[in-house]
Amino acid sequence: MSTEQGQAGAGTEFVVRPDGTVVGSDGAAGALAAALPYTGRLARRMGELVGIGDLRGMEGLGRRRLAVTVTWTPAGEGTYRATVHRVEERVVPHFTVVGAVDTAAAVDHCLGRLMTVDGVEWSTVVTAGSRVVAARGQRQDLHHLAEVGNRMLAILRSLEDQHASGFMRLRFEQGAVVGASLGRHALVARVAATSDAELVAMIDEVRAILAQHDLTAVQSEFDPDAAEKEPAAPGGPVEAAAPQPATPPPLVGARFAGAGERSPRSPRRRRFGGR
């Protein structure tokens, strides 16, 4: 993460080894060092789901700026090398939101705005209940959003305000995933090379627009497999005719003599003066 916010004091450095031992001080009485292996495991699975390789680093911007590099052992245990710096308190700009709109429309508008940031490939809003209420991007890239969002929510909660009140960036071999809290919910996006300042500005705008909305009230749930519906024909949809049962072929051969439907016979006439 860039240092555009400016440093407000000397930083601390520490290492969390695969066996859980900590070298150095995290400046948070060990709480941050204890959280890193947990968040690292959550984030690593996200890279597999999104298809962007293994986790290489985590960066958070809040009241402190956190930068972590991650290396993995063959057994899948991580070593976390972290630096933490206090930053100057960021002044959040004031936004005037004009007009009241439906919550679903407001969410869709915000994702559209986020997609205008250079480098953003897809974006989504996930509620605290792991419901994906909206998403933007190529449909083939939008699978597993519920699990990705749920993991991002857990990461944001574990790092609290000091390290992720601005946003959290998870760096992978082939890209990055950004997460930002929207109250109890989360905004999640996959990004390439993206300006921190531009991302923070857009996240501030999204938070301002959605601040007065209850995201749990959005009834729809995004379905990445939903196919585009074709326009209906003039006069309404035409129902397909029910298939008619096929007529069975006639039964042929002596063994089938007399089989099948019989025609009614006329009564036989008595002969030789019978009554």
Side-chain angles (χ1 to χ4, degrees), residues 144-175:
H144 309 299
L145 288 185
E147 184 173 349
V148 169
N150 191 44
R151 287 171 177 270
M152 182 61 79
L153 277 166
I155 290 171
L156 292 171
R157 289 167 184 161
S158 68
L159 295 176
E160 301 180 340
D161 294 346
Q162 291 195 30
H163 311 102
S165 59
F167 68 92
M168 190 78 190
R169 188 196 302 266
L170 308 175
R171 294 190 180 275
F172 298 88
E173 293 172 315
Q174 302 165 23

Side-chain angles (χ1 to χ4, degrees), residues 8 14-15 40 43 145 215 234 245:
F14 64 97
V15 177
L145 288 185
L215 299 183

